[in-house]
Each structure stands twice: as structure tokens, then as C-alpha cells.
Amino acid sequence: MTTIGFIRHGITEWNELKKAQGRSDIPLNEVGRKQALELGHRLSHQDWDMIITSDLSRASETAEIIGTLIDIPISSFDDGIREIDCGEIEGTTEEERLIKWGRNWRDLDLGMERFEDVAKRGIKFIEEIVHLHKDKRILVVSHGALIGLTLQRLLPERFPTTYIDNTAITILHNIKGVWDCKLYNCTNHLR
């Protein structure tokens, strides 16, 4: 059985301001660092074999904090598990989008990466993980849309929609090619 623990990065200033981050390289804020510490303490009581992270700083810093607490260095930085490319909406709030493009802004071609393409990147990544690291327990620090869209593609009946909180952990198991999700969007460490 291969286990993947998907983790969304800690909170950033742009998360708090409700700005679309996408591929913009926004660092964690102090709250995000504290969230990562709390998750690291939680994970220190579990056995994990490796950590793979998105190369964007909010994810890699989350991974570094967790890795320090569980005594596992980051194995690799992977640009394939970056957040969705938000195109022209990066750095804007919903209110700003409504003013600039109107209430139907989602119907416009603003250079956003298609959801299907994000899901394909996520599926390709986890399939490679299972192939390369069979029977290992791997933490993957990534981003909300990448994780959520991957889950929707992987297990569509269970996840017709998703929402992933900052530093939430979602645990997937692959047993002989069959995926199962044992834990979804868990933030018990933040209570």
C-alpha cells in the first residue's frame, strides 16, 4: 500500500486578503508558519518516509517546517504540483474582478489554466509517485486547487466538489491500483 498525505500550504497574506494567488510566489505569514508548526507536531507521532513539495515558497516553507519537526528532509521540489495558473486574475479579489470584468468574469478567457489540466497534472504526479515509491508513505505539500481538483478527478463519486483549508491533511491510499481516501481536509491540529 502506498500512502500519500496531501497537505495544503499554510496561510499567506494574500489568503487573508482573499486574493487569487495562483502561481504568484507569495510567502507564508506568521499565522501560516504557526499552522505549519502545529501540523508538524501532529505528524511527528506518525511514520512518513519522504516529503515532496511544490517549488512555490508558501508550500516549500510549509514543507521545511514540517520536515524539521518530523526529521525528514525534503526529497524534491516539483513544479508539476504548483497551484493553478490564475492568469489575469492573480492578485485580485472577487470584488476587484467584479468591478474590472463584471459578474460573469468566470465566463471570460482571462488566461486561467483549465481545471481539467490541473487535475491531469495532479493525477500524473500521484501515478508517478505510486510507480516510483511503491509501499512508501509520502507527504506532498501543495495547493488547494491542485489537491481539490486531483481528488475530484481521482474519486469523482466521493468528491463532486472540494474545499481544502490551509494546512489541512488529506490521506490517500493506493492498494493494488485502487485509490481510497481515509482522511479528508483534516485540520484537527489547529484546534
Side-chain angles (χ1 to χ4, degrees), residues 23-191:
R23 298 217 168 164
S24 297
D25 199 11
I26 309 303
L28 295 178
N29 64 16
E30 285 307 311
V31 174
R33 289 181 190 97
K34 184 175 184 280
Q35 290 174 324
L37 280 168
E38 290 170 355
L39 180 55
H41 287 299
R42 172 185 178 176
L43 295 174
S44 68
H45 305 291
Q46 301 173 14
D47 291 323
W48 294 94
D49 297 308
M50 62 191 310
I51 301 173
I52 299 171
T53 182
S54 157
D55 62 341
L56 295 177
S57 64
R58 59 191 181 267
S60 62
E61 186 178 0
T62 300
E64 287 168 12
I65 292 167
I66 292 168
T68 298
L69 290 167
I70 66 173
D71 198 28
I72 297 176
I74 295 172
S75 297
S76 65
F77 298 84
D78 194 317
D79 63 2
I81 54 172
R82 282 183 172 186
E83 183 58 295
I84 187 172
D85 184 339
C86 288
E88 293 179 50
I89 74 162
E90 287 203 20
T92 66
T93 64
E94 178 70 16
E95 183 179 342
E96 291 167 334
R97 292 188 284 275
L98 290 171
I99 291 167
K100 189 169 183 174
W101 296 296
R103 65 183 180 157
N104 294 324
W105 68 265
R106 286 179 181 83
D107 298 330
L108 302 175
D109 180 5
L110 299 172
M112 284 189 69
E113 185 177 9
R114 294 177 358 175
F115 288 176
E116 308 86 63
D117 293 337
V118 177
K120 284 179 189 174
R121 281 195 290 118
I123 295 295
K124 179 181 177 202
F125 171 80
I126 62 173
E127 287 174 350
E128 287 174 2
I129 291 299
V130 170
H131 176 73
L132 295 172
H133 305 291
K134 186 174 172 26
D135 297 326
K136 298 290 184 187
R137 293 176 50 82
I138 303 119
L139 291 173
V140 176
V141 184
S142 186
H143 306 272
L146 182 283
I147 296 168
L149 292 167
T150 301
L151 290 173
Q152 288 175 34
R153 171 64 74 83
L154 187 68
L155 299 166
E157 280 103 39
R158 171 125 187 236
F159 297 110
T161 62
T162 51
Y163 180 81
I164 308 295
D165 289 302
N166 290 99
T167 67
I169 185 164
T170 297
I171 297 182
L172 299 171
H173 295 298
N174 183 288
I175 304 169
K176 296 181 181 177
V178 177
W179 288 99
D180 187 26
C181 182
K182 292 294 182 190
L183 185 69
Y184 168 69
N185 196 39
C186 183
T187 58
N188 290 345
H189 51 281
L190 300 179
R191 292 185 187 146

